[in-house]
Amino acid sequence: MKRIVLGICMVLGSLVAYGQEGTLEGRVVNAKSEPIAGASVHVLNTNRGTYTDGEGRFSLSLLPGRYHVHIRAVGYASVDETVDMTGGSASLDITLVEVALRLSDVIVTAQKEEENLQRVPFSTTAISSGEIEEYRIWSTEQVTAIIPNVYSANPGDNRNVTSIRGITSTSYDPSVATYIDGVNQFSLDTYIAQLFDIERIEVLRGPQGTLYGRNAMGGVINIHTTQPGNQTRGFAEVSVGSYGRQRYGAGVRAPLVRNKLFLGVSGLYDRSNGYYTNTFDNSDFDKNHSFTGNYYLSYLASPAWAFTLNVKNHSHRNSGAFPLAAFPDAAFAEPYTVNQNALTELVDDVFNSSLTASYAGSGLNFTSQTTYQSNYRIYKAPIDGDFSPIDGITIINNYGRDWNNVKVFTQEFKVTSPAGNTSPFKWTAGTYFFYQDVPNKQTTHFGEDAQLVGADNPNFSIINTSTGKSRGVAVYGQATYAVSEQFEVTAGLRYDYEKKELGGQVDLQFDPDPSLISFFPYAEETASFNAVSPKISAAWYPAERSNIYAVYSRGFRAGGITPFSADPSQVPLSTFKPEYSNNFELGYKQTFPDRKLQLNAALFYIKVTDAQVPTLILPDAVTVTRNAGELTSRGLEVEVVTTPLNGLDVSYSLGYTDATYESVKNVEGGNEPQMDLNGNRQIFTPDLTSMLAVQYACNLGLSIPLKFVVRGEWAHLGTQYFDLANNIRQAPYNLLNARAGFTLNSFELMAWGRNITDERYIAYAYDFGATHLGEPRNWGVTLIKRFGE
């Protein structure tokens, strides 16, 4: 594969001529015409960038063309400017205004190229590095309600179920794709939920199948970590809080060879005693700790060619991965307590790596990205499967690293029109390949008291063994034509082909006899799926920083082969079809001329066919997936950001979703009764999400630049359900968060409190009733030191 990548790069390099360069010179100053040293000047969609010198001056060499240049500096609102280099050279003088007085221009990669957020013709929200700290976002689940119509939660094991506009990730093939530094976190097995040293988070709402393919039918979460450059920069962070919370992070980014070789290293250690107490032995049940690392090595071979090697690892240990009460009533009657006799520790090791080669030339841009991901996840000892102190059900999966160790390989080649393109026609095309290996082995043991939880007989084990393999290939293309300076039309198409194989068997073992009885002998099933994902949009820009758009897009979630069931009446292996969605959206984006107010709004309508519904079969602890009919989701979104006064920032997001099933073919399968879900609400989907954040910062007027910062947040989540029958219901609730402290130059000291009214609410529940409550009131202090800024 390396030879193939190198060969393609060499061919492209020989075909694309590199022309005569001109010079872009300029100066960056503040509102008092004072030079700003160390400001970043980056040419979008190229490998070109620099920093201003002590006089605020900069110089860059560029090919003839028309470019977008992004300028940013600490403490100032960033700006995006267009530069015409068709004459060979140009000058650009920029005045930056303090961020307390003006909103920043935000650059995103929602369409797999860098562009201004407000020009993207579909709903996209970006959370900057500063906002991530202000909201205290430490995990991907904490974007809930910050982004309209987004809900994310997990049962305590850090595998988040995410819903966007009523399209919910309810299986190991998620319907909301997560990308970290351009790498698709392929499944719930291989993604890293822990967040630190983040440059920005982009949330794309609505199907993104054309550019992102499989499992992006609800949307995409794009996470970008901070990358190294020509300046030596870094940070150190210490956080301590209630429930034994400790968080220590540090990172450094520096040039090893200036203008050529760059290194970035960062790490985070996080630990907590957890929120739950196990009354069985009066211990901290969900006590956990983890280490996460992120390592970069970037090489700028020439002004056109750049190579980046990135490695991420996450090691998580949790002594109570599933802090669940057996039923909602029990969860509220004795909150944050469990009574479980089977005690163990979760071992969860994730490894992600990528090698990216990028070329920016006069004829086209080219990117190759090769990735490898793996996840080894087991319980050291049997884990409680009945969530009670009885000797009922335990789950065993510790069979060595040959089992329960998921591996994924992906390769993507992408070509786009060049950054300096002066044509009204812009385009993106590419191909994507993946291979996934999933060897699973799990034993469900029924103990002496198993009949108390529905088992027919005690003292036996069901051993499920399976080897799953998936491979797929996709080709895609998208083009935008500027009919005029004010009107653009975009069309795209993607074809995906995927093949899945699943083989394995189910055995019985009776206590204390070690011999196995084949219950379902070894069986194999192969299934192939393909999907075509079109997209078309139109965007009208009636004025500067104004965008009115309409878009149609289609998304899909891959089909698959359902796992085994221990019920002899069930077919041991069967397939379920892909899930498809058609999305219609009408939106408006406006940044007002004084750049103090920004308003974005959207209406959407989504029709889902062949909805995939996973059902956990008890007491076997086996999930069976079926296609369950049609789902319709409709709603609206509003986002407002403003800086009405010096130092005062106000943001508000509102989302409304009406997501209901219209027809259902079969949910349970086998001998289970068919449920009529017509009119029932989608799970993990609050009908209303709302977040109001207000922050005020002021200089204390001392001889040192000491600032006081105070912030309050009010989140409201509406009615939601956690089972398809709509029996497990969470009523609307409110959450209040607060943050206050001081900043002094590169130091920041903040005290924070979350859920300060100690609201009790269901964050996650299984359809059979096991319930996990959201985090209780907790508080802490964070100290951050930055250097090189």
Side-chain angles (χ1 to χ4, degrees), residues 57-100:
R57 301 188 184 278
F58 67 91
S59 178
L60 284 169
S61 296
L62 293 171
L63 294 167
R66 185 175 292 111
Y67 296 90
H68 290 278
V69 181
H70 189 65
I71 302 96
R72 63 179 181 176
V74 176
Y76 295 91
S78 59
V79 297
D80 175 26
E81 296 289 341
T82 302
V83 177
D84 190 343
M85 293 280 293
T86 54
S89 296
S91 61
L92 179 65
D93 293 329
I94 297 294
T95 300
L96 295 182
V97 177
E98 290 183 22
V99 72

Side-chain angles (χ1 to χ4, degrees), residues 202 259 275 296 322 349 400 439 471 528 534 688:
E202 306 169 10
N259 298 320
Y275 303 127
Y296 276 103
F322 294 96
D349 293 333
R471 55 184 59 86
S528 299
L688 190 68

Side-chain angles (χ1 to χ4, degrees), residues 267-446:
L268 175 72
Y269 178 76
D270 187 14
R271 67 174 298 135
S272 170
N273 292 335
Y275 303 127
Y276 278 74
T277 299
N278 189 358
T279 58
F280 182 80
D281 62 355
N282 199 32
S283 64
D284 294 325
F285 180 72
D286 50 338
K287 190 173 183 178
N288 63 90
H289 64 275
S290 68
F291 176 80
T292 307
N294 188 18
Y295 321 98
Y296 276 103
L297 186 64
S298 297
Y299 176 55
L300 188 60
S302 72
W305 281 102
F307 301 87
T308 299
L309 175 65
N310 179 224
V311 174
K312 295 180 175 68
N313 71 289
H314 176 70
S315 296
H316 180 225
R317 303 293 182 266
N318 192 330
S319 62
F322 294 96
L324 299 162
F327 301 100
D329 289 346
F332 286 110
E334 297 183 75
Y336 308 109
T337 62
V338 299
N339 190 359
Q340 299 183 18
N341 65 319
L343 307 178
T344 187
E345 182 180 56
L346 168 70
V347 174
D348 191 3
D349 293 333
V350 180
F351 177 85
N352 285 355
S353 61
S354 66
L355 176 62
T356 304
S358 61
Y359 173 85
S362 59
L364 57 78
N365 287 357
F366 166 77
T367 302
S368 166
Q369 187 175 70
T370 307
T371 78
Y372 172 78
Q373 306 169 43
S374 69
N375 172 239
Y376 177 63
R377 180 185 171 94
I378 57 97
Y379 311 109
K380 286 186 176 181
I383 189 170
D384 205 312
D386 52 59
F387 312 112
S388 74
I390 68 171
D391 182 17
I393 301 173
T394 53
I395 308 298
I396 305 163
N397 72 348
N398 188 0
Y399 292 100
R401 286 192 170 267
D402 290 337
W403 296 101
N404 306 302
N405 193 353
V406 177
K407 302 177 181 67
V408 179
F409 169 83
T410 72
Q411 174 66 56
E412 182 173 16
F413 298 110
K414 181 185 67 175
V415 290
T416 68
S417 50
N421 183 24
T422 58
S423 167
F425 184 71
K426 297 189 302 181
W427 52 270
T428 298
T431 183
Y432 177 79
F433 167 83
F434 75 87
Y435 174 80
Q436 182 186 36
D437 181 26
V438 186
N440 284 326
K441 187 172 183 178
Q442 177 175 296
T443 295
T444 304
H445 181 261
F446 298 86

Side-chain angles (χ1 to χ4, degrees), residues 612-663:
Q612 295 174 7
V613 176
T615 301
L616 185 65
I617 304 298
L618 290 178
D620 313 332
V622 173
T623 299
V624 177
T625 301
R626 298 282 188 260
N627 295 103
E630 295 183 353
L631 172 78
T632 299
S633 180
R634 57 179 68 85
L636 60 85
E637 296 162 351
V638 177
E639 295 175 285
V640 179
V641 182
T642 182
T643 57
L645 300 172
N646 187 359
L648 179 64
D649 298 317
V650 181
S651 63
Y652 179 68
S653 69
L654 172 70
Y656 170 75
T657 299
D658 176 16
T660 58
Y661 285 93
E662 293 187 353
S663 64

